[in-house]
Amino acid sequence: MPNVPAASALPRRDQIRKEAARLFAARGFLGVGVDEIGKAVGISGPGLYRHFAGKDAMLADLLIGISERLLEEGRRRAGGGDGPAAALDALISGHVDFALNDRDLITLHDRELLNLKEEDRRTVRRLQRGYVELWVDVVRQAHPPLAAPAAEPVARAAVHAVFGLINSTPHSLGPNPAQGERAGLQRDGMAALLHTLAHGAFAAAAESTADPADPAGSDPVGSVGSASADS
């Protein structure tokens, strides 16, 4: 008997993606065999090779795929046409949805990026840089104090900090009894909290660029520092 219902609405390739992400996140890329992934979707291990060249190809597909999806969706949301504040709100909502819906992929990125082939890793990094730059541009438009040239490192650091905040959900959202998690906030509560905290972080970053003792504005770089666009 197959391990997944025959009536699954997901195409076979998407079933493989989902189960590979789950298993890689739970046990690590090196700790999961092709046969296990095949069993999870109800086909033989060798049968997977009709869909993917191997485990390396599955991992690359997952990490490149989510990076492409985030950038494409981010561009769509940022170009909504309702102004910078609305664009930033839409970006935050989109990333929160990703973090809450794709916890396994966040865990995979944290743990398994170095297991990608060099060419695939460069592709992920390039896509990530594009996503970061999109956010930095929108944040600086939505918060005018961050638009000053000297404030650009603060905006960039704030974007990375917000990503870290939102992407922490695999460790803070519960419950997931199968992984021994304690009860925590449910999805709607966590989404609302993350949304509020993200907006608060950007507002605090903008406020930090204004020094009451220095009406001309102080250089924020020394106190905050810049964040790498590769993160």
Side-chain angles (χ1 to χ4, degrees), residues 136-152:
V136 171
D137 183 57
V138 172
V139 166
R140 297 182 76 194
Q141 292 181 54
H143 292 277
L146 295 174
E152 189 271 346

Side-chain angles (χ1 to χ4, degrees), residues 23-49:
L23 290 167
F24 291 159
R27 305 243 309 280
F29 175 73
L30 298 178
V32 176
V34 170
D35 288 342
E36 290 180 81
I37 300 170
K39 183 178 179 181
V41 296
I43 62 178
S44 66
L48 289 177
Y49 294 112

Side-chain angles (χ1 to χ4, degrees), residues 24 28-29 43 45 64 72 82 88-89 120-121 127 138 170 174 226:
F24 291 159
F29 175 73
I43 62 178
I64 292 174
E72 180 180 352
D82 294 324
L88 180 57
D89 191 69
D120 292 329
R121 190 159 60 246
L127 292 165
V138 172
S226 64

